[in-house]
Each structure stands twice: as structure tokens, then as C-alpha cells.
Amino acid sequence: MSLPPLSPEQLVKPSHFELRMSLIFATLFVPLGTHLPYFPLWLQAKGFHAEQIAVILAAPMFLRVVTTPLLTALADKAGDRADVYIALVAASLLLSAGYFLPPTYAIVLAVSLVLTTVWTPHSPIADSLALSGVRRFGSNYTSMRKWGSISYLCANVAGGFILSATGSRAVPVIIFVALAAALVAGLFAPRLGRPRRSSPLSATDIQHSAPKLLNPYFLYFSIGVGVITASHAFLYGFVSIYWKSIGISDSVVGLLWAWGVVSEVCMFMMFTRFFNSFSVVSIMVMAGIGAIVRWIAFPLVWPLGLGVTGFFAVQSLHSVSVALVLIGLQKMIGETISEERTGAAQGIAYFSNGFFMAVVTLASGPLYDRFGVDGFFAMIPVALIGLALIGLAARSAPQRRLGR
């Protein structure tokens, strides 16, 4: 598949390209690092019960698996993706102010639904800008992207300390201020023109290439990854609420979330040395087993008197149940999908992850309402289903490269 030639302007590297992209990644992940651990706490503080929290968290997930590919495709067709990024961040900033309105169930749900439409595409569009720099100018992607992980960690920790002093009412304020910072950084986004190849979530690319990817190995593997990932829905939705209910402070909650990210980064750093020789099926089996061990252990930590130290130990399994899934999926796509269909493969995998995560998140509310922390046990069969699908993928593994 031939690529269109670069224009003379596109061959000129924008000044301080890596620094500007690093700033974008750093500001991009601060609101995300606040929303995931602390937004459920704010919802609980506003009087929402577990089932309502689950709907507020899950409904945007269902919506964004449809809207995100459409908006990233729009960014690909625009004169410059940076302009689309700035517009989406500005819209996110304005819409996030909706959380300052009277927090009725209808208002919070409506704001969350509209906000996710313009917020979720930030990351894939930023990635597409960074990867264009990698292709055109030889920039180092990880040296830019690492600042997103660092800022996410800082948001986890700083958010906990801020909430310890102010209470959960600070969550919408932190998100609003963080999005304002992201908008300022976005104004300095490098202009690169249209991409030579569609972004990983391009709706057009998915539409054209998806039928060629409907083989058993890719489908079983992608759905299996989505289901194993979805077994984390109970954790993401309700673990902060659970930790607070047993008397763990906001600052320690932030440290527990940050420790999971630290363990994930450590796995990224040591994967090539220790795991690169393993097959993708073996990697995903390890990830599924790690998830199962995690869901067995979580409800037992406090009753067994293991305290906060026990939770830190269980959070270390984030390096297995999350990091290995992310790495294994990309390794599978790299090994079996030809380059011109990589974008469609990424899009289908994104849809699978998003859809199953939304389904399990929706179910997690009633589970927590009825069983509390024991709802983690219900995530075990979810992970087992994911492992069974990975087993089916192994049985249908191709003997040659797919997509040729």
C-alpha cells in the first residue's frame, strides 16, 4: 500500500517538537489521573448509590466506543489534527464546568455523556501527532509519552493529598483546572498537516479493513483481551469507595492507585528482558491468571489483617493483569496483522475493550450494593471467560502471517 508523498512543509520539523509533545502528554493525563480514582468518591459524596454510580460510569463507555472512531477520523481529514485537538480540549473544559451545576442524577449523567464524547479522543489524537513525528523526523515516542505516565502518577498522589485536606468536593475543580492547563499546552501543539496514514481508530480504516480481519484467531484473541480487561471494571468503579469505607485516608488511596501505575511501568521496562521470548498466548494466560489471583486476594486482605501493606502487594499485580494485556495485544497485532490493516485492528480491539468494560461496569454497581468488596469474586468468572477465549485463539492460531 503506497503512501502519499509528504509536502515540502511537512518535511520541516516544527521547533522543539519533542518538548511540545511532552507538554501535551503531561497535561493530557492529569485530568485522567484524577477522574479514574476519585470521581466515584465524588459521586458517592453527592449521595448517589452504587447502581447510579455504575450507570454514570458505564453509559459514557458505551457511547465513546462509537463516537471516538468518528472524531479521530474527522481529525485525520482536517487540515491539521492540532486544531481538532485544541477544539476538543476547549469543549471538554467548558463541558466539565457542568459538574458545578446542582448534582442531580440527570444532570451528572448528561454532563458525563456529552463530556466523554469530546474528552476520550484527546489521547489517540495526541498519539497520532507524536507518531507522525516518529515517522517523519525520527523522534523518540517513549521519551515523549513517558511524561504522560509521570503526570498520571503525580495526579494520583497529589489528588489524594488534596482530597485529604478538602474532601471529595475538590474533584470537579481539579478536573476543570487540569483541562484548562491541557488547553494552554494544546495551543503549542506542533502543526503537521494531515497524516499520511489514518490514525489507529479511524472509522474509515475500520470499515474498509475489518471484514479482512474476521478470522477466528484475531476475533477470539481480541474478545478475550476485552473480557480480561473488563474484569477490572469492579476495581476501577468501586475500589476507592471500598478503601474509604474501611477507614483508609484519601492520601493513601492516591498512593495505592499510584503504586499500581508504578508496577505497570516497571513491567514495561523489564518486559523485553524477561518475557519477550514468550508467545502472545502465554503472555495473555499469565495476565488472566494474574487477574484471577488479584480478584481472589482483594476481598481477603482486610479480613486477614494484612492491612494497607496487603493492598500494596495486591496492587503490584497491576503489572501482570494490566501491563501484560497491553503488551500482549500489541505484540499479537505486530506479529500477525499486516501494516496496512494495523489501524483497523487497533480500532476493533478498542471497541472490544470499551464494550465489555462498559457491560461489566454496569453490572458492578448492583454487585457492590449487595456484596460490597466480595463483588470482586464475581470478576473471577469474567477473567476465566477471557482465558477460555484466549485458549480458543490458541487453537486457531495461524501458521502464517495474517492479512496478506
Side-chain angles (χ1 to χ4, degrees):
M1 181 179 180
S2 61
L3 295 172
L6 290 169
S7 67
E9 294 80 10
Q10 289 176 314
L11 290 171
V12 178
K13 183 179 180 180
S15 61
H16 307 295
F17 176 83
E18 289 83 1
L19 176 63
R20 291 156 74 179
M21 287 306 308
S22 297
L23 183 62
I24 286 174
F25 281 122
T27 54
L28 167 66
F29 280 89
V30 173
L32 293 173
T34 303
H35 187 274
L36 182 62
Y38 303 120
F39 188 63
L41 291 177
W42 180 75
L43 293 174
Q44 184 190 47
K46 294 303 178 182
F48 298 116
H49 55 71
E51 291 188 12
Q52 290 175 319
I53 292 173
V55 172
I56 292 170
L57 296 178
M61 295 180 186
F62 284 111
L63 181 61
R64 71 191 184 196
V65 297
V66 177
T67 59
T68 300
L70 296 176
L71 285 172
T72 53
L74 172 65
D76 287 344
K77 295 176 181 178
D80 201 297
R81 287 160 289 170
D83 295 329
V84 178
Y85 178 81
I86 293 169
L88 290 173
V89 176
S92 300
L93 175 63
L94 292 174
L95 290 169
S96 70
Y99 289 130
F100 299 132
L101 298 173
T104 65
Y105 179 58
I107 288 177
V108 173
L109 178 59
V111 171
S112 298
L113 285 169
V114 181
L115 178 58
T116 197
T117 302
V118 294
W119 188 355
T120 307
H122 296 183
S123 184
I125 293 176
D127 276 333
S128 72
L129 286 170
L131 290 174
S132 289
V134 172
R135 295 189 184 104
R136 298 179 192 179
F137 319 122
S139 299
N140 187 319
Y141 175 79
T142 55
S143 70
M144 298 179 284
R145 176 60 178 76
K146 70 182 180 183
W147 293 104
S149 298
I150 292 171
S151 69
Y152 188 92
L153 271 171
C154 293
N156 287 167
V157 176
F161 283 101
I162 292 172
L163 266 62
S164 292
T166 65
S168 59
R169 65 180 180 274
V171 172
V173 178
I174 297 172
I175 292 174
F176 182 84
V177 172
L179 286 170
L183 178 59
V184 173
L187 296 176
F188 295 94
R191 266 56 179 181
L192 299 174
R194 294 183 180 181
R196 300 176 74 200
R197 189 184 297 282
S198 297
S199 69
L201 298 180
S202 168
T204 303
D205 195 17
I206 294 172
Q207 180 181 355
H208 289 167
S209 299
K212 303 170 186 177
L213 294 170
L214 300 183
N215 60 80
Y217 177 72
F218 178 77
L219 287 179
Y220 283 135
F221 200 99
S222 298
I223 296 173
V225 167
V227 174
I228 292 173
T229 301
S231 73
H232 294 71
F234 192 87
L235 173 82
Y236 295 149
F238 294 97
V239 75
S240 292
I241 293 173
Y242 165 64
W243 281 331
K244 288 284 292 179
S245 73
I246 57 176
I248 296 178
S249 68
D250 289 296
S251 57
V252 175
V253 168
L255 290 171
L256 284 166
W257 277 98
W259 184 251
V261 181
V262 169
S263 66
E264 179 182 330
V265 172
C266 288
M267 176 59 77
F268 288 146
M269 294 174 62
M270 69 181 191
F271 177 83
T272 301
R273 181 176 180 181
F274 294 102
F275 296 97
N276 200 44
S277 61
F278 287 87
S279 69
V280 291
V281 170
S282 299
I283 291 169
M284 208 56 61
V285 168
M286 286 188 282
I289 293 173
I292 291 169
V293 172
R294 202 175 179 186
W295 313 146
I296 292 172
F298 245 114
L300 302 178
V301 169
W302 205 251
L304 292 177
L306 301 178
V308 172
T309 302
F311 287 125
F312 274 104
V314 175
Q315 280 293 83
S316 298
L317 287 171
H318 202 77
S319 62
V320 179
S321 69
V322 173
L324 285 185
V325 169
L326 296 173
I327 296 169
L329 175 63
Q330 298 307 316
K331 186 175 172 69
M332 182 275 289
I333 291 175
E335 291 176 352
T336 61
I337 305 299
S338 55
E339 184 179 357
E340 67 269 19
R341 292 178 189 149
T342 299
Q346 298 279 9
I348 292 171
Y350 173 86
F351 180 88
S352 176
N353 285 356
F355 177 78
F356 289 111
M357 179 66 77
V359 170
V360 182
T361 299
L362 194 60
S364 295
L367 283 171
Y368 187 80
D369 196 36
R370 183 170 181 180
F371 300 107
V373 70
D374 289 339
F376 272 112
F377 291 131
M379 299 298 104
I380 296 171
V382 176
L384 284 171
I385 292 171
L387 278 176
L389 289 163
I390 296 299
L392 291 173
R395 293 182 60 182
S396 56
Q399 300 303 311
R400 60 185 178 84
R401 187 176 178 87
L402 294 179
R404 289 182 174 177

